[in-house]
Amino acid sequence: MSGDRLTRLLSSLRGAERRSNPEVATVAPGLLRSARKDGWKGWWWIKTTAIISAVLVIAAIGAIAAYVASLGPLPLDEARRTSVSVVDRQGKLLRAYAMADGRWRLLVDAQTQVDPRYLTQLIAYEDKRFWSHRGVDPWAIGRAALQLATHGQIVSGGSTITMQLARLMEPRRERSLSAKLRQMVRAIELERTLSKPQILDLYLALAPYGGNLEGIRAASIAYFGKEPKRLTLAESALLVAIPQSPERRRLDRHPATAQAARDRVLTRLVVDGVVSAEDAAQARAVPVVRQRKPMPMLAPHSADQATAIVRNAAVIGLTLDGGIQRSLEALARDRAIALGPDISIGIVAVDNETGDVLAHVGSADYFDERRAGQVDMTRAVRSPGSTLKPFIYGLAFEDGFVHPESLIDDRPVRYGAYAPENFDMTFQGTVSVRKALQLSLNVPAIELLDRVGASRLASRLRQAGVGLVLPKDEAPGLAMGLGGVGVRLTDLVQLFSGVARLGSVVPLREIANENNGERETLRLLDKVAAWQVGNVLIGTPPPENAARNQIAFKTGTSYGYRDAWSVGFDGRMTIGVWVGRPDGAPVPGLIGRVAAAPVLFDAFARTGHLRSPLPKPPRGTLTASNAQLPLPLRRFRPAGDLVRAGNEQALKIQFPLNGSRIDALSQAATGALPVKVSGGVLPMTVMVNGLSAGLIDGRRQRLIAPPGPGFVRLTVMDAVGAAATVVVRIQ
């Protein structure tokens, strides 16, 4: 009550009492003076106390604020730095890279990557009220203080998981009151900044496990050789115990100490009712491991390339399948050992539908210096041998001047100074085109390439996303059909997967983080031509003891026995194999059919999927025996062998002109598209997109049913095998 209000109150009392009692008139003045004096003194004391208290509170708040400000911001960015991890299509770890200072610290998601039983045991042992406290647990601190007072030593710590995380983020050697206060302040900051799951994830990534191991994932992989998603009770108790004294409980140095700590954790968990006594007894009987296991090292070449391309990413996803990758790496290593100490092997497996690379084995052994293991041979430019022949035949089928059942001569031939010979230095005489490709005869392939055109072959392969490497200042020539160019194994696999897709190519993809949108489909061959190539290759005689008619494949051997190849496909997958010396030195007897083809068939067997049949023949595919083929298709005659009587003119299509555009509406009125030719030797056959449309009549013309809108290839073949082709567009 203020002094003025007290004076007014006493004055009113005095007036009232004076009217009722005259004695008050003599007593009241003294009482008033005393009350005024006592009221002023009480108010001054209250006011002074309040001011001092406010100042002290403000000073305390200011001191705390100044202390918090002196700590600086939470070092979250540094705490979140982890080793770069490369994972497969299922998210399984293929390879991890240590941090710059040599520590292994792997990003972890407690909800999906850690055994929930381990989390239950960790929280029960370290911080029972983790999900309810705000960073500091007063009950735990009080219990620890009481135990210290009664036992004279530290029995249990009062630190919460959040406080331990604060200590890990800002490590300090001393154990003092100020250090504990700092942890408390930081723990409260962490709880205000992060959610409980985020705090748990960060703790599980930073917890020390001895040496250069940090975090539950690095420890589980190094000590048990597996991810912490499924841990035994003995393993999880061990991982709970080690971080309390990581160096003195390292499994590779102090296994006995680690085992004793594990057993104490198990005892505590039994007391708290987290695990049963029987389960704990069984866990105690399990001996602890005494050696660290190496970190995963699958697909090292793919991982190296991915980390060079994708920057500032903690996790890089690849399209690889870890199981297939592991099987094919073991296959390459075993076969290379059997073939010799200098031999390396490269293998690429892709999914035909998506173009995703499922396995990428760059060498037989990444750490073998003699085999140049760190050189990725799947991307090395090498001579392809005969592996380009299927695309020569494919273009010949597409152009319509030859059919798989056509006859072709395998005989000595010369093109200027170039005289191709077969691998075995013999000639087969007249054979079917099918057999010529299956036996990989050189002369028929070169004759077809001469007709198709080497530049056209190179252009078509370039259109399909594959650039052939030619010697400097050299144009494509006939020698490219037998390996006179450079190509990569990845490029060959992409091309053969296009054959499996009936002529359309999807560029290969290996880094899942990139090109997740719609990828462009490239053109390799017409559907019918691609199917015919696959239908021929599936009949190629397989290696010894291998099943027939399951894999369409082609082998190749480069000049001088430097490279052995085998590339094959079924309806689902394409696999390519290269065998040779990385330095390019010749290896006598290194033949594709002997060295590479068995690896290819074994690779298909190890992928673990059932053979998938090739696609059915597209609509309009001509399937017939040689006797049923149109006369011009029964036998292929090279351009140099075409004989015409007298002054017979060269065959030429006069209408429609090459590259012309034809209005479909104008053709609809007559119901037919005329094809007119000059020259050539009757009888002549008209082919529409590789399919027979009838014979040219005596007036050297033929009316054909107009195909639907789009590009149409019209070919006319005469009696001696000469052909003329135009491409028109109906619109």
Side-chain angles (χ1 to χ4, degrees):
M1 183 179 296
S2 65
D4 293 338
R5 293 181 62 189
L6 181 61
T7 301
R8 289 196 298 271
L9 178 60
L10 291 177
S11 297
S12 63
L13 289 174
R14 183 180 60 183
E17 289 298 327
R18 182 181 297 169
R19 289 190 295 271
S20 61
N21 189 355
E23 295 180 359
V24 175
T26 59
V27 176
L31 179 60
L32 178 60
R33 287 192 297 271
S34 177
R36 281 179 176 173
K37 183 177 180 181
D38 292 343
W40 292 336
K41 183 184 295 184
W43 166 242
W44 179 87
W45 174 255
I46 293 171
K47 189 173 183 179
T48 302
T49 302
I51 292 173
I52 293 173
S53 299
V55 170
L56 291 176
V57 169
I58 293 172
I61 293 174
I64 294 173
Y67 177 72
V68 172
S70 69
L71 298 180
L74 283 167
L76 286 175
D77 290 341
E78 176 63 25
R80 286 170 171 157
R81 282 200 315 115
T82 61
S83 302
V84 176
S85 301
V86 181
V87 300
D88 74 352
R89 64 195 301 115
Q90 285 90 28
K92 296 180 180 178
L93 185 64
L94 293 171
R95 183 182 180 184
Y97 293 81
M99 299 171 66
D101 56 6
R103 289 176 295 163
W104 292 102
R105 181 196 293 175
L106 303 178
L107 193 68
V108 62
D109 181 354
Q111 298 299 315
T112 61
Q113 295 178 306
V114 181
D115 193 327
R117 293 173 298 181
Y118 163 80
L119 297 176
T120 301
Q121 295 162 22
L122 172 69
I123 292 174
Y125 191 81
E126 292 285 356
D127 189 357
K128 290 184 176 66
R129 283 171 288 277
F130 170 74
W131 297 107
S132 59
H133 65 63
R134 298 301 179 88
V136 178
D137 187 355
W139 294 102
I141 294 176
R143 183 195 68 238
L146 180 61
Q147 291 174 340
L148 176 62
T150 56
H151 293 80
Q153 60 181 359
I154 297 176
V155 176
S156 64
S159 296
T160 63
I161 287 178
T162 315
M163 291 172 63
Q164 294 180 47
L165 173 59
R167 185 180 71 249
L168 294 172
M169 292 173 61
E170 298 177 319
R172 291 175 175 269
R173 291 182 176 273
E174 73 277 5
R175 300 183 64 181
S176 61
L177 184 60
S178 63
K180 184 65 69 173
L181 176 61
R182 182 187 184 96
Q183 292 172 22
M184 292 180 180
V185 172
R186 285 305 203 190
I188 295 172
E189 284 187 274
L190 283 169
E191 293 278 348
R192 295 182 60 185
T193 305
L194 305 176
S195 65
K196 287 288 187 180
Q198 289 174 326
I199 291 172
L200 189 59
D201 287 348
L202 205 52
Y203 171 79
L204 292 175
L206 297 180
Y209 283 90
N212 62 347
L213 297 178
E214 292 186 359
I216 182 72
R217 286 187 68 200
S220 181
I221 292 171
Y223 289 143
F224 311 133
K226 64 180 181 180
E227 292 279 357
K229 194 168 185 177
R230 289 179 177 81
L231 299 170
T232 66
L233 177 57
E235 292 168 345
S236 59
L238 192 58
L239 294 178
V240 169
I242 293 176
Q244 299 168 18
S245 185
E247 291 303 321
R248 287 186 293 178
R249 297 176 182 177
R250 284 181 57 170
L251 299 187
D252 55 341
R253 294 187 179 180
H254 310 290
T257 305
Q259 182 167 338
R262 179 201 67 183
D263 293 346
R264 289 195 295 272
V265 170
L266 290 169
T267 300
R268 170 84 170 275
L269 295 176
V270 171
V271 172
D272 291 344
V274 178
V275 300
S276 67
E278 181 180 356
D279 290 342
Q282 293 178 354
R284 290 190 189 95
V286 178
V288 300
V289 295
R290 296 174 178 268
Q291 291 182 340
R292 279 180 53 168
K293 294 177 171 56
M295 284 291 176
M297 195 64 176
L298 282 175
H301 299 91
S302 297
D304 288 345
Q305 183 189 34
T307 54
I309 295 174
V310 181
R311 300 285 187 176
N312 302 320
V315 179
I316 302 175
L318 300 183
T319 63
L320 304 184
D321 184 301
I324 297 177
Q325 179 72 27
R326 182 177 292 104
S327 296
L328 298 192
E329 283 189 11
L331 171 63
R333 183 172 54 253
D334 295 343
R335 290 301 180 92
I337 292 174
L339 289 170
D342 299 308
I343 299 296
S344 189
I345 295 178
I347 305 175
V348 176
V350 304
D351 183 277
N352 293 334
E353 181 179 359
T354 64
D356 288 349
V357 178
L358 301 177
H360 175 172
V361 181
S363 66
D365 188 340
Y366 186 77
F367 295 105
D368 192 331
E369 293 184 5
R370 182 167 179 176
R371 301 180 198 272
Q374 296 190 19
V375 177
D376 187 353
M377 298 309 301
T378 68
R379 292 188 170 91
V381 178
R382 310 288 290 211
S383 169
S386 299
T387 55
L388 295 181
K389 287 179 181 176
F391 310 106
I392 300 173
Y393 283 78
L395 287 177
F397 295 153
E398 182 178 296
D399 287 347
F401 60 78
V402 77
H403 184 273
E405 305 307 327
S406 300
L407 297 179
I408 191 169
D409 290 332
D410 178 33
R411 59 177 182 170
V413 66
R414 179 175 294 274
Y415 299 88
Y418 179 54
E421 296 177 336
N422 289 321
F423 185 79
D424 59 2
M425 307 300 290
T426 65
F427 296 95
Q428 299 291 321
T430 301
V431 296
S432 68
V433 168
R434 178 182 299 275
K435 186 175 181 181
L437 178 54
Q438 291 175 346
L439 297 182
S440 193
L441 300 178
N442 290 342
V443 173
I446 295 302
E447 290 185 335
L448 291 176
L449 179 58
D450 183 46
R451 187 75 168 270
V452 167
S455 295
R456 180 159 172 255
L457 173 64
S459 177
R460 181 62 66 86
L461 298 185
R462 191 180 306 111
Q463 183 180 343
V466 173
L468 303 178
V469 180
L470 294 163
K472 186 178 180 181
D473 300 327
E474 185 171 321
L478 296 180
M480 66 184 296
L482 304 183
V485 293
V487 72
R488 300 173 178 85
L489 178 60
T490 52
D491 292 338
L492 279 178
V493 171
Q494 179 170 310
L495 290 174
F496 276 83
S497 69
V499 178
R501 289 172 50 89
L502 293 182
S504 64
V505 171
V506 176
L508 302 189
R509 183 183 69 150
E510 194 166 332
I511 300 176
N513 306 56
E514 295 186 337
N515 300 326
N516 290 324
E518 189 71 21
R519 281 178 287 170
E520 181 184 6
T521 300
L522 308 175
R523 178 172 179 265
L524 175 63
L525 294 169
D526 288 346
K527 286 187 176 182
V528 172
W531 181 85
Q532 289 174 325
V533 170
N535 180 257
V536 171
L537 292 181
I538 202 168
T540 303
E544 188 176 356
N545 299 325
R548 299 179 65 92
N549 300 322
Q550 291 195 0
I551 300 172
F553 76 104
K554 183 72 182 73
T555 60
T557 305
S558 67
Y559 177 77
Y561 302 100
R562 289 174 169 83
D563 309 274
W565 305 81
S566 187
V567 187
F569 56 89
D570 63 5
R572 174 174 175 256
M573 184 182 298
T574 299
I575 299 179
V577 176
W578 170 88
V579 181
R581 287 183 53 153
D583 60 4
V587 181
L590 188 71
I591 302 172
R593 180 173 178 78
V594 176
V599 179
L600 173 71
F601 276 74
D602 204 349
F604 269 100
R606 295 195 184 196
T607 59
H609 81 278
L610 299 176
R611 296 285 76 77
S612 178
L614 296 179
K616 295 181 179 179
R619 183 178 179 182
T621 302
L622 176 61
T623 55
S625 65
N626 181 267
Q628 296 171 324
L629 292 175
L631 183 60
L633 282 179
R634 295 179 186 177
R635 174 180 285 272
F636 169 76
R637 294 181 183 275
D641 287 355
L642 299 181
V643 178
R644 296 177 174 85
N647 296 323
E648 189 69 48
Q649 296 180 356
L651 178 61
K652 181 180 179 180
I653 297 178
Q654 293 184 320
F655 184 86
L657 297 177
N658 187 42
S660 61
R661 299 189 179 192
I662 300 174
D663 189 353
L665 294 178
S666 65
Q667 299 303 319
T670 61
L673 172 65
V675 177
K676 299 180 180 181
V677 301
S678 63
V681 179
L682 293 173
M684 303 181 198
T685 302
V686 179
M687 310 286 288
V688 179
N689 292 333
L691 301 178
S692 176
L695 297 176
I696 295 289
D697 60 23
R699 296 177 298 171
R700 296 183 178 270
Q701 66 179 15
R702 174 79 183 185
L703 296 177
I704 64 171
F711 287 98
V712 178
R713 180 183 299 274
L714 300 176
T715 302
V716 177
M717 301 182 64
D718 71 0
V720 294
T725 300
V726 296
V727 177
V728 298
R729 182 174 183 178
I730 297 179
Q731 58 185 9

